[in-house]
Amino acid sequence: MSENRKKELQVAAIENGTAIDHIPSEQLFKVAQLIGLNKTKNRITIGNNLESKKMGSKGVIKIADKFFEEDEINRIAVVAPNVVLNIIRDYEVVEKKYVSLPDELVDIVKCNNPKCITNNEPMHTQFHVIDKGMGIIKCRYCERKINKEDIIIK
C-alpha cells in the first residue's frame, strides 16, 4: 500500500481480517450487535458517519483476524443489505463479497406472529424473502409477511 494511500484512510488499516464497508450509518450499531462485537477479543475499529460518494455517509467496521461464515453474512444482510465485505490479508484486499439478502432465512429471524408454531414449539424459523429491494419476508409456517423495519433478529 502506498504511503499516500495510507494517509487517506479514515479508519486504521488492519493486517488480516474483514472490513465491513458501506453500512448505512443508522444501521452501524445494529450490525455491531448482530455479529457480537461486544463479545469478541479481536481488535475492532469502528467508523461512523464517514464521507461516502455513493451514500452520503456510511459506517465501517474492521475486525482483525475475523472471517465471516455464511450464516453471519446472512444476519448482516437482514439489517444492512448491500454492504461490502473486504477480506484483507497482509494489508491488502484479496476478495470483495457483496452482501445481499438470500432467498431464504433459516433460524435468523423471529416470527412476530405470537400464534405462529415457531413461537410455541421448539423449532427453527424459516422465511422466504419475497422482495429483496424492500426487505419483505414471509413466514413459511403462518405465512405472515413482515416488512424490513418490523423484523426481529433472533
Side-chain angles (χ1 to χ4, degrees):
M1 185 181 293
S2 73
E3 285 304 312
N4 290 338
R5 176 74 178 126
K6 284 183 182 177
K7 290 177 186 175
E8 289 176 18
L9 294 175
Q10 294 182 23
V11 180
I14 58 174
E15 184 174 358
N16 295 298
T18 303
I20 308 169
D21 199 2
H22 295 100
I23 305 168
S25 292
E26 64 276 4
Q27 299 291 30
L28 178 81
F29 293 104
K30 202 178 270 191
V31 170
Q33 179 184 8
L34 276 178
I35 58 177
L37 292 187
N38 58 327
K39 297 174 187 155
T40 187
K41 300 290 183 208
N42 302 50
R43 190 179 66 221
I44 304 165
T45 305
I46 297 176
N48 200 19
N49 296 316
L50 302 173
E51 189 177 315
S52 169
K53 292 174 187 160
K54 291 181 186 176
M55 304 171 66
S57 73
K58 68 177 181 177
V60 175
I61 300 173
K62 292 185 176 186
I63 309 164
D65 303 313
K66 171 73 175 160
F67 302 97
F68 290 95
E69 300 293 328
E70 197 67 31
D71 64 319
E72 293 171 302
I73 294 169
N74 289 340
R75 292 175 71 81
I76 295 167
V78 172
V79 297
N82 307 316
V83 300
V84 179
L85 295 180
N86 294 304
I87 311 305
I88 300 165
R89 297 196 192 280
D90 197 26
Y91 294 102
E92 297 292 332
V93 175
V94 295
E95 182 182 356
K96 284 183 179 269
K97 291 183 180 180
Y98 295 89
V99 175
S100 66
L101 275 174
D103 295 329
E104 192 168 75
L105 300 170
V106 178
D107 211 31
I108 294 173
V109 175
K110 180 181 183 335
C111 187
N112 59 12
N113 176 1
K115 294 185 179 186
C116 181
I117 192 169
T118 62
N119 289 318
N120 296 294
E121 297 290 334
M123 60 190 305
H124 295 296
T125 60
Q126 219 171 356
F127 287 86
H128 300 288
V129 177
I130 57 175
D131 187 328
K132 289 185 181 193
M134 298 296 290
I136 301 171
I137 61 175
K138 183 170 91 171
C139 179
R140 174 180 178 209
Y141 301 102
C142 72
E143 297 191 354
R144 178 168 286 190
K145 291 182 183 177
I146 304 174
N147 296 320
K148 183 168 80 171
E149 52 276 351
D150 298 323
I151 289 175
I152 302 166
I153 304 295
K154 285 181 113 181

